[in-house]
Amino acid sequence: MKALLDELKAIVGTRGWTDDETDLEPYLNEWRGVYKGRTPLRVAPASTEEVAAIVRACHAAGVAVVPQGGNTGMCGGAVPDGSGTQILLSMHRMRRIRSVDAQNFSMTVEAGCILADIQEAARAAGRYFPLSLGAEGTCQIGGNLATDAGGLNVLRYGTARSLTMGLEVVLANGTVLNSLRALRKDTAGYDLKQLFIGSEGTLGIITAACLRLFPDPGKLQTAMVAVATAGESVGLLARLKEQLADRVETFELVSDYVFGLVEKHIPDARLPFDRRWPWYVLIEAAGSIDELGAALAKAMEDGPVLDAVIAKNTSESAALWRLRHSIAEAERKDGKALKHDISVPVSAMPAFLEQGDELLETLCPDARLVAFGHVGDGNLHYNVVLPRDRDASAREEEGKRITGAIYDLVTQFGGSISAEHGIGQLKREWLSRYGSDPELEVMRKLKKTLDPAGILNPGKVI
Ligand code: FAD
Ligand code: MLT
Ligand code: ZN
């Protein structure tokens, strides 16, 4: 091991590594505090060639490599295991915007670029990069692609996958696979980049990406509306789409209990209504305030909308967005929840929620449902907090039972047990239970083909 560590240090130079325990601490802990790992060395390469050399050396030594972006992931995918033998490969020094092609509506960026910096670089070129999530000031595009991140604008623009034109990837033996083509059409053989998107660092290290850009959508209007049931929000979305077509960018459902957590834990966070309602939807749409206002007024007249607030300026809009962006932090501060990042067809969401309520009532009437998320994409964070009066082992057993029952229900509705956060360590066992045999078999074969020695992020996904 010592010879390998010396070789890796030499590859990245003095500014590119650390083995100091205090410096390593934040990178070895998953931000929710659920997973903690150990490593003999954190290396931060500054170029694709350095990534390739690191992976080649680790491959020759049979030592595992764990890629890490902003470490904002939800499933423990970016944290090494407890063995103290896995090399942590941090991408933060690879943060160059290689080029922006405004005419082609594309840009090529290194994997360590922070998402917010990419949005800004697109804006500076008069273009729009729509991927947006609460962690955008910290997460990296490599991590976004490795998890196929979703976030707040999927409704109009799709997940990270649909925003990707090409990738540069370092394979498990150190070969650089360059499919960094800025093409909208390319049927020359298999579309290899798709294999790496969403593979959570288990099939290759993403070093650069060519991303799709869009025209500036112009002024976006933000509104918060109140509805009586989560099911009604689905009908509301269909109405808004009929009136505003694809200009609806965001449609986020949040329960009153969840916004109560935000108000409890986040300083100065306040809902803009003078009374409580059961559910709220945060809506963002391109166009004029009058257009969104008219659509919502009609929905109020007809029933589904009980109350509505439209932001009159950017600071009112920012205050509404702050409520939404604070949920993950408020939930973390409130204590550990069983996280279920699930998706079902949008049309099935009302029935899923109804049956989910009944299920929780039967399994654990004292449990609290923490439900929020991207209902417009059929994706909810259907999290559950167990009563605090159980001891640790009873909680663990009960947690597994509840998670299993929720995933059974999701499966009955033709849904997914992981909509946008990935599998990581958290859901590996669940994937092997809920994935179909032929699908799991193909996944295992892919892993074996692309990483026969099993050095890329072992213990994650499959
Ligand atoms: P990391 O956490 O560092 O890594 C995630 C996985 O990708 C790991 O398996 C890691 O090994 C792998 N990886 C990282 N970089 C590379 C690379 N270059 N090559 C290969 N593999 C790599 N997620 C959503 O989808 N939607 C949301 O709305 C959303 N909101 C969030 C809000 C908050 C406040 C927080 C804290 C998180 C949120 N997330 C959300 C989860 C998280 O931000 C995303 O999963 C994000 O895409 C992870 O990026 P990262 O750079 O932090 O990756
Ligand atoms: C969100 O939608 O806010 C994120 O996916 C984070 C979370 O699930 O906590
Ligand atoms: Zn989410």
Side-chain angles (χ1 to χ4, degrees), residues 72-75 131-135 143-155 158-161 197-200 252 324 328 339-344 372-375 377-383 416-424 426-427:
T72 67
M74 296 282 179
C75 303
L131 187 68
S132 172
L133 40 131
N144 301 146
L145 291 165
T147 54
D148 187 18
L152 303 154
N153 293 341
V154 172
L155 203 53
T159 65
R161 184 184 299 282
I197 300 171
S199 72
E200 301 179 54
E252 295 284 310
R324 172 65 185 90
K339 301 277 270 178
H340 307 116
D341 164 39
I342 61 94
S343 59
V344 296
F372 65 95
H374 323 284
V375 71
D377 314 325
N379 169 202
L380 267 196
H381 302 305
Y382 194 81
N383 305 336
S416 169
I417 64 163
S418 175
E420 60 168 10
H421 292 162
I423 297 294
L426 179 68
K427 296 188 185 170

Side-chain angles (χ1 to χ4, degrees), residues 157-238:
Y157 297 100
T159 65
R161 184 184 299 282
S162 27
L163 304 173
T164 309
M165 295 165 102
L167 282 189
E168 178 187 84
V169 179
V170 170
L171 302 178
N173 61 3
T175 302
V176 179
L177 184 138
N178 187 342
S179 65
L180 211 48
R181 286 182 282 273
L183 300 175
R184 279 181 171 70
K185 298 181 90 171
D186 180 7
T187 52
Y190 303 130
D191 190 355
L192 296 178
K193 66 177 178 292
Q194 303 298 356
L195 287 179
F196 302 98
I197 300 171
S199 72
E200 301 179 54
T202 62
L203 299 181
I205 313 289
I206 299 169
T207 48
C210 180
L211 304 171
R212 293 177 67 186
L213 299 180
F214 293 81
D216 180 346
K219 180 111 185 66
L220 295 172
Q221 309 297 340
T222 316
M224 176 95 74
V225 308
V227 290
T229 64
E232 278 179 2
S233 70
V234 173
L236 174 64
L237 174 63

Side-chain angles (χ1 to χ4, degrees), residues 97 107 109 113-122 129 141 211:
I97 306 274
M107 74 197 291
V109 303
C113 285
I114 302 283
L115 175 56
D117 293 343
I118 292 176
Q119 295 165 345
E120 186 46 44
F129 184 63
I141 193 69
L211 304 171

Side-chain angles (χ1 to χ4, degrees), residues 43-116:
V43 276
S47 66
T48 302
E49 293 68 35
E50 287 185 10
V51 176
I54 290 165
V55 175
R56 214 174 295 124
C58 289
H59 186 254
V63 168
V65 181
V66 179
Q68 187 175 81
N71 196 19
T72 67
M74 296 282 179
C75 303
V79 177
D81 69 13
S83 66
T85 59
Q86 302 187 330
I87 304 298
L88 188 61
L89 177 70
S90 171
M91 298 301 290
H92 72 278
R93 288 176 75 211
M94 290 191 62
R95 52 168 182 260
R96 221 162 38 90
I97 306 274
R98 288 190 188 164
S99 63
V100 181
D101 184 344
Q103 290 291 311
N104 192 48
F105 284 78
S106 64
M107 74 197 291
T108 301
V109 303
E110 290 183 345
C113 285
I114 302 283
L115 175 56

